[in-house]
Amino acid sequence: MTEPKRNITLEICTGDPIGVLAAMEGGADRVELCSGLAEGGLTPSIGVTRFATERICTNVLLRPRAGDFVYDSSEIEVMERDAEAAVEAGAAGIVIGALTRDGRIDTHACRRLLAKAEGLQNTFHRAFDVLADPFEALEQIIDMGFSRILTSGQQSSALAGAELIARLHEQAAGRIRIMAGAGVSPANALEILSTSHADDLHASARSLKPSSMTYTGNASMGAADATDGSRLVTDSNIVAQLRAAINSYAINC
């Protein structure tokens, strides 16, 4: 018997106003808003948060720094304040994840943050992909009241981790949404969906945008910046192709 398919949503990870508009134009259902995509995503500014929430369903990443997901009390305090600001700015939910040194969920920290966004559509992010026991963690995340988990199946990409994502989806049994992310593209979206049975897809959908400057000089502004001023930006055409892939899957499965 063919399993009835859920309403698969498309979330686009972006960090600037142009990206928000491109996600909307391409047909995204939601954005995960963050800065510092080259560092895996960091907490965005309140200005871009307000810009996004006024236009599209927006979940806001709370991550005060790059690196691991073991946070001290000062970092948790900052994330609590950022959670309050995101909710006040109209966020549909927050995106968080805090771990212990031995690769388990820091449930105390997560509950503190969730208390600031109670009743919203909150996501446990890809900190999930470095947990020691994903199946135990799944039950803890459900128990804490999260709405979804973003995961690559503990692999470098959602395609490589699709089988684990499928096992998580089976264990979840509709109690939480499982969102596949990392390396998702129009070329592999159908294969990821058919193998993983994910409820949602998450992608950055970016392409290279040349600098608008006619003179750039030789200085670099940071390790991740190109000296010619070009940058990766959300591409509405890629978003639209992902949207079409999801629609095709829903029709043909």
Side-chain angles (χ1 to χ4, degrees):
M1 180 181 294
T2 301
E3 178 190 359
K5 301 314 295 181
R6 304 151 306 281
N7 179 31
I8 299 166
T9 63
L10 173 61
E11 178 178 277
I12 297 299
C13 181
T14 191
D16 54 50
I18 292 174
V20 170
L21 296 176
M24 292 172 59
E25 181 181 349
D29 298 293
R30 178 178 62 250
V31 298
E32 181 198 288
L33 195 68
C34 60
S35 65
L37 269 69
E39 295 183 288
L42 302 172
T43 306
S45 75
I46 196 63
V48 73
T49 298
R50 291 188 183 279
F51 181 92
T53 61
E54 290 168 0
R55 290 164 173 80
I56 189 171
C57 179
T58 302
N59 282 1
V60 177
L61 176 67
L62 304 183
R63 187 177 178 223
R65 56 160 174 80
D68 63 30
F69 304 102
V70 180
Y71 298 113
D72 66 20
S73 59
S74 66
E75 292 169 323
I76 296 297
E77 180 181 343
V78 167
M79 284 193 282
E80 285 182 303
R81 295 183 182 186
D82 284 335
E84 291 170 348
V87 172
E88 183 181 356
I94 58 173
V95 182
I96 62 171
L99 307 183
T100 62
R101 294 177 185 273
D102 60 349
R104 287 176 166 74
I105 296 175
D106 185 341
T107 56
H108 176 69
C110 287
R111 289 185 188 279
R112 282 179 58 179
L113 296 171
L114 288 172
K116 302 297 183 180
E118 187 174 0
L120 300 185
Q121 295 291 308
N122 302 312
T123 301
F124 194 98
H125 61 47
R126 286 192 62 215
F128 186 88
D129 290 324
V130 292
L131 285 165
D133 186 338
F135 302 105
E136 174 188 66
L138 172 63
E139 297 302 326
Q140 292 178 311
I141 291 168
I142 292 171
D143 182 65
M144 285 187 285
F146 281 89
S147 301
R148 67 180 59 83
I149 296 169
L150 170 60
T151 178
S152 64
Q154 299 202 319
Q155 299 296 322
S156 59
S157 71
L159 184 58
E163 291 185 5
L164 177 58
I165 297 172
R167 292 173 64 192
L168 293 166
H169 179 266
E170 181 178 11
Q171 180 178 326
R175 294 175 294 161
I176 192 170
R177 295 183 73 87
I178 305 297
M179 180 162 58
V184 174
S185 71
N188 63 25
L190 285 174
E191 185 177 358
I192 291 170
L193 286 171
S194 62
T195 305
S196 71
H197 309 296
D199 300 294
D200 308 313
L201 282 185
H202 170 100
S204 60
R206 295 185 294 169
S207 65
L208 189 66
K209 178 180 175 60
S211 172
S212 58
M213 294 185 68
T214 57
Y215 175 79
T216 59
N218 297 311
S220 174
M221 299 298 107
D225 290 329
T227 55
D228 64 1
S230 61
R231 67 190 192 279
L232 290 170
V233 300
T234 307
D235 188 323
S236 62
N237 290 324
I238 298 176
V239 177
Q241 291 172 45
L242 288 166
R243 177 82 271 164
I246 289 173
N247 293 345
S248 174
Y249 176 73
I251 291 170
N252 295 308
C253 65

